[in-house]
Amino acid sequence: MLFYKAWIETRVRFLAGLVAAAVVCIFYLEQHAWLVSMWAADLQNPHGYHMKWMPLGIHEYGWYLWHYLYDNYLQQVWALFAILFAFGGLIRERNGGTVLFSLGLPVSRRRWLFTRLSVALLESIGLSLFAVLVIAVGSAAIHETFSLSQVLLHTALMVAAGVFVIAFGNFCYTLFPGNYLSLILTLTLLGAPYLWLQTYMQHMRYLGRTPWIGYLDFAHTMAGPWQITWTTTPWMALLVAWTLTAFLLMATVAHGDRLDY
Amino acid sequence: MFRKPNPSSGVPIYVQLKEQVRHAIETEALKAGDQLPGIRSLAETLVINPNTVIRVYRELEQEGVLEIRHGIGVFVISRRRSRSRAEEMRDAQHLVHEFVDTLKKQGLAEGEIRRLFEAELAGEIQRR
Amino acid sequence: MAAVIETIELKKNYGNHEAVRGLNLSVNAGSVCAFLGQNGAGKSSTIKMLLGMIHPTSGGGSIFGHRIDEERESLLIRQKVAFVAEDKRLYDYMSVGQIIHFTRSFFPKWNHALETQLLERFELPPERKIRQLSKGMRTKLALLLGFARGCELLILDEPTEGLDPVAIEDVLQIVVSLAAQGTTVFFSSHQIAEVEQVADHVLMIDHGQLVLNASMYEVQEEYRQIQAVFTDPVEERDLRLPGVERVKIEGHIASFVASRNVDSIVEHVRMLRAGNIDVLPISLKEIFLEKVRARS
């Protein structure tokens, strides 16, 4: 029944997320043919842009999917909605006046929290699987074959590393309840370091160096290499992400336990 | 048969209920040997605490008006009285008339007499 | 008689404000105990501490023997207690039927017969969304969700607030009915008439402290208002006796409330050469006003 309640409270957001994911996927699938021809033209033109990845982009559809979706736009849409799914819970009910009813039930605060987080996770997984479906259908529509296993692996990696985002979103919401404020705050707290780290790490990688701070580049972890294999999976980074997630959860629980309603 | 007591009347609810029971017996709405409503049922009907009903029944039993038969119910006392209630009241009225007359002859005003009676009765309730 | 609710030196501070100061109360099994107090006196804070929504600053308590300030035990308490808060808002996206179904799932001893009875009596349409209900109907629904849990203890914070007289009487009748079946009821209220009607025990709280803890019987039997007229003027300190509450002197007339020892107090007053002594019963409302005014 608790799951049912958390679902009802977030299902509109979930549908919005499905729509957003579909839009992103369809857009880039639609653009594929045009972009590929543009790159091919550029490569043939001695005065045009020549980027290292262009041959890959032209010949490997899998790379294309990874670059535009899992390394960029779908990941960002997913992360945004994962945070939104994580918003809510007892703190929100305090503003709505129903928190005393909820807390009067024989349900511990932790159980409320974990139910909420579980539903957020399930919805995030659902969102990512829906994107796979859209990719599958869309790819067939543009007559491209793709590796389902790679797409699924990327989906799995995105979610596995992305749990940090869910925990972080929920933690920020518990500290600063109120939808828009929390969203802006979370996005700022996550977004600023993310962008800085991403730029910094790209520079480092260009120089061939991998400082330890790279483990905190979650966007990079979620994207992974364009071809995931057992050895290329970023296990250490995942471990770091999970450890940090665990700490965040403990902090959320401790804070929640101490609150006076 | 019983009306809901008025909690704001200044008279405690249990006193109101006792009066109602006595009145019912006087007017023969409840005859000797009749069973009174069960504690729970009366409490629910009048929307008062069951302990209040218990107290009323117990006190009336002590005053010889009711009889509590454990496990069966509460009944109006069926022992035949040597005199009816109405006769008792008539005798009491006569006594009161004579007594008030005596006090007046001693020089007490009506208001003073009334206050003495009230204080005495309040003291009665206290002492029990 | 076992104490169902017990607190020991319960304290709650909000910053510098002492909302609850060393509260020691106990509620016996099967009693209908009223908790009276002005707004801000500490009633809701006390109730919230009992149910684990607020953490005591110090002190503690127990319900059914389980500690209120320990997470796991608080959970056990809430399995056996039906709580209806002062704010009776419910999940407005659910329908009447849905929230009943939701709440029911947590209470194996749910009273289905009472649920059906109350749905009918309160005229609550099962398919109607809660956001479409009037405030009065929402209150009735919140109370239904409390009454039907089949719990041995009901804790109600202002149960009849916002209800019309018919509904109030209905609610009181249900309380009486449950009490007759052995349920302990602990409710806070502003409506003294209601309290006098159904409660058998009264707790009064003022500025975070307990100022009265008595059974209705004691209140009716032992509390008296006494007015004495003296031949010579008396001082307040002449009347400082055990059981005497605040004394008011107007020239030759002294009036005060006695909470016990009325006989010995009357004796003492007589010895002070009182001409006339009136000993009268006192209503709960008067006691409440006395207690609260004395401290402000």
Side-chain angles (χ1 to χ4, degrees):
Chain A
M1 291 303 317
L2 294 175
F3 284 96
Y4 171 67
K5 175 176 181 287
W7 161 244
I8 299 190
E9 287 173 1
T10 50
R11 64 183 172 186
V12 172
R13 270 175 261 179
F14 180 67
L15 287 171
L18 292 182
V19 168
V23 163
V24 163
C25 292
I26 290 171
F27 179 75
Y28 282 103
L29 291 178
E30 217 255 309
Q31 292 287 297
H32 178 250
W34 183 82
L35 281 169
V36 164
S37 61
M38 193 186 74
W39 293 331
D42 265 338
L43 280 181
Q44 281 173 357
N45 180 351
H47 298 299
Y49 280 119
H50 285 218
M51 306 289 276
K52 242 191 313 188
W53 46 262
M54 275 188 185
L56 259 182
I58 296 169
H59 300 292
E60 293 285 354
Y61 181 61
W63 182 92
Y64 178 84
L65 285 177
W66 171 83
H67 177 75
Y68 281 104
L69 299 179
Y70 289 97
D71 197 22
N72 280 288
Y73 305 108
L74 179 61
Q75 184 196 99
Q76 285 156 10
V77 164
W78 184 91
L80 177 68
F81 278 93
I83 294 174
L84 282 176
F85 296 155
F87 279 5
L90 291 174
I91 261 278
R92 180 176 195 193
E93 290 200 40
R94 183 199 257 166
N95 299 335
T98 60
V99 72
L100 292 182
F101 177 78
S102 298
L103 283 175
L105 295 172
V107 177
S108 68
R109 296 185 189 194
R110 293 179 191 200
R111 195 168 149 205
W112 279 110
L113 175 69
F114 285 119
T115 309
R116 221 258 133 51
L117 289 176
S118 304
V119 171
L121 182 62
L122 287 171
E123 287 173 339
S124 304
I125 293 174
L127 180 60
S128 61
L129 289 176
F130 180 71
V132 172
L133 183 67
V134 173
I135 291 171
V137 169
S139 300
I142 60 172
H143 309 297
E144 290 283 351
T145 53
F146 71 104
S147 162
L148 180 64
S149 59
Q150 277 296 308
V151 167
L152 285 174
L153 282 171
H154 279 114
T155 302
L157 183 60
M158 180 172 73
V159 173
V163 290
F164 175 77
V165 165
I166 297 175
F168 192 77
N170 186 264
F171 182 65
C172 285
Y173 190 81
T174 316
L175 293 177
F176 311 104
N179 279 334
Y180 296 120
L181 180 65
S182 287
L183 184 62
I184 291 167
L185 216 79
T186 312
L187 290 176
T188 316
L189 284 174
L190 262 183
Y194 153 74
L195 285 170
W196 179 84
L197 256 179
Q198 192 179 49
T199 319
Y200 177 72
M201 282 310 299
Q202 277 168 355
H203 181 68
M204 285 292 125
R205 273 180 228 116
Y206 185 72
L207 296 177
R209 286 160 39 191
T210 45
W212 62 267
I213 205 172
Y215 290 121
L216 299 178
D217 187 355
F218 289 113
H220 185 74
T221 313
M222 282 164 76
W226 79 271
Q227 275 175 315
I228 297 183
T229 63
W230 198 252
T231 46
T232 58
T233 307
W235 295 111
M236 267 313 287
L238 272 179
L239 206 64
V240 169
W242 290 336
T243 311
L244 287 176
T245 305
F247 279 127
L248 264 180
L249 287 176
M250 288 196 291
T252 312
V253 167
H255 179 73
D257 277 350
R258 261 188 29 229
L259 274 177
D260 276 343
Y261 285 94
Chain B
M1 175 175 31
F2 295 113
R3 291 178 321 280
K4 286 188 185 173
N6 181 358
S8 339
S9 74
V11 180
I13 291 177
Y14 82 95
V15 171
Q16 292 180 44
L17 187 56
K18 272 173 87 170
E19 274 313 300
Q20 282 194 45
V21 173
R22 286 185 184 277
H23 185 74
I25 294 175
E26 249 169 72
T27 58
E28 310 239 297
L30 279 174
K31 300 203 219 350
D34 276 353
Q35 185 172 18
L36 277 95
I39 290 164
R40 179 173 163 183
S41 140
L42 190 57
E44 285 184 35
T45 311
L46 301 181
V47 192
I48 58 178
N49 194 288
N51 286 332
T52 310
V53 180
I54 291 175
R55 182 182 174 185
V56 165
Y57 284 176
R58 280 218 192 106
E59 287 191 12
L60 287 173
E61 186 191 41
Q62 275 172 5
E63 290 165 30
V65 173
L66 299 179
E67 185 187 355
I68 300 177
R69 285 184 223 154
H70 290 287
I72 307 174
V74 182
F75 298 82
V76 180
I77 254 202
S78 60
R79 256 181 273 126
R80 293 194 133 272
R81 291 167 170 277
S82 48
R83 325 164 56 183
S84 76
R85 193 82 186 133
E87 283 170 9
E88 286 206 22
M89 286 300 284
R90 248 181 286 125
D91 284 355
Q93 192 193 26
H94 187 71
L95 275 171
V96 168
H97 175 80
E98 288 201 5
F99 186 45
V100 168
D101 237 354
T102 312
L103 291 174
K104 279 188 186 163
K105 285 197 188 111
Q106 286 183 4
L108 276 88
E110 286 205 334
E112 291 167 318
I113 297 174
R114 186 176 299 119
R115 264 203 301 281
L116 280 172
F117 268 97
E118 279 178 1
E120 178 60 37
L121 286 171
E124 258 303 303
I125 297 172
Q126 222 171 277
R127 255 171 258 135
R128 263 200 220 125
Chain C
M1 257 196 297
V4 160
I5 302 177
E6 244 184 318
T7 70
I8 302 172
E9 293 296 320
L10 199 59
K11 277 203 185 110
K12 181 63 186 175
N13 298 335
Y14 293 109
N16 286 331
H17 171 59
E18 293 180 290
V20 179
R21 308 178 203 205
L23 211 62
N24 294 296
L25 60 83
S26 88
V27 178
N28 288 327
S31 86
V32 178
C33 181
F35 196 28
L36 291 172
Q38 290 182 291
N39 289 327
K43 297 194 304 291
S44 285
S45 295
T46 304
I47 290 178
K48 287 186 193 176
M49 279 193 274
L50 288 177
L51 290 157
M53 294 149 190
I54 284 182
H55 305 291
T57 304
S58 69
S62 66
I63 297 185
F64 291 123
H66 301 297
R67 286 181 46 192
I68 61 177
D69 49 349
E70 208 274 292
E71 184 73 36
R72 242 164 301 146
E73 300 216 5
S74 183
L75 192 65
L76 293 173
I77 291 176
R78 299 200 303 277
Q79 285 168 352
K80 304 183 188 174
V81 174
F83 170 58
V84 181
E86 189 177 351
D87 191 339
K88 302 202 173 41
R89 282 184 283 184
L90 300 165
Y91 313 133
D92 60 4
Y93 50 82
M94 285 197 190
S95 71
V96 170
Q98 281 175 323
I99 200 168
I100 290 178
H101 186 65
F102 175 83
T103 312
R104 200 161 61 193
S105 66
F106 298 104
F107 297 99
K109 296 202 211 127
W110 186 267
N111 188 338
H112 289 90
L114 187 59
E115 172 205 318
T116 314
Q117 206 186 93
L118 291 181
L119 266 177
E120 214 185 289
R121 195 161 169 191
F122 288 153
E123 294 176 354
L124 293 166
E127 328 75 42
R128 180 100 37 105
K129 293 276 182 214
I130 289 173
R131 69 169 128 252
Q132 296 167 321
L133 292 177
S134 67
K135 184 167 177 224
M137 294 189 78
R138 232 172 35 206
T139 302
K140 291 184 213 176
L141 177 59
L143 288 168
L144 183 160
L145 292 173
F147 291 143
R149 287 184 202 185
C151 291
E152 299 148 50
L153 170 62
L154 279 175
I155 296 183
L156 312 172
D157 200 344
E158 309 275 350
T160 60
E161 192 179 30
L163 290 179
D164 63 82
V166 173
I168 292 176
E169 199 67 357
D170 276 344
V171 169
L172 292 177
Q173 194 183 58
I174 297 162
V175 167
V176 163
S177 171
L178 290 170
Q181 294 168 52
T183 307
T184 309
V185 181
F186 180 66
F187 73 105
S188 83
S189 179
H190 281 147
Q191 308 306 321
I192 301 205
E194 265 170 40
V195 169
E196 281 183 296
Q197 210 178 316
V198 303
D200 55 31
H201 200 95
V202 181
L203 294 169
M204 276 186 202
I205 186 172
D206 189 43
H207 290 95
Q209 284 181 299
L210 211 57
V211 296
L212 176 71
N213 182 349
S215 70
M216 274 312 246
Y217 180 83
E218 280 168 341
V219 168
Q220 286 158 356
E221 289 306 278
E222 292 173 23
Y223 275 72
R224 291 283 177 265
Q225 52 182 351
I226 298 177
Q227 193 175 79
V229 183
F230 295 93
T231 42
D232 310 311
V234 280
E235 310 248 328
E236 195 247 317
R237 58 162 190 262
D238 297 327
L239 293 162
R240 254 184 232 153
L241 299 161
V244 170
E245 311 269 323
R246 192 173 70 111
V247 180
K248 202 165 52 170
I249 308 237
E250 289 163 318
H252 290 253
I253 305 172
S255 38
F256 54 92
V257 173
S259 60
R260 58 187 198 283
N261 301 328
V262 174
D263 286 339
S264 45
I265 291 172
V266 169
E267 260 312 299
H268 183 93
V269 168
R270 244 182 231 138
M271 288 199 305
L272 289 175
R273 282 183 293 139
N276 185 41
I277 308 173
D278 285 331
V279 179
L280 296 167
I282 180 172
S283 72
L284 191 61
K285 176 171 158 190
E286 282 304 314
I287 297 177
F288 181 66
L289 292 172
E290 268 300 310
K291 294 270 185 187
V292 161
R293 266 198 224 121
R295 305 167 60 82
S296 56

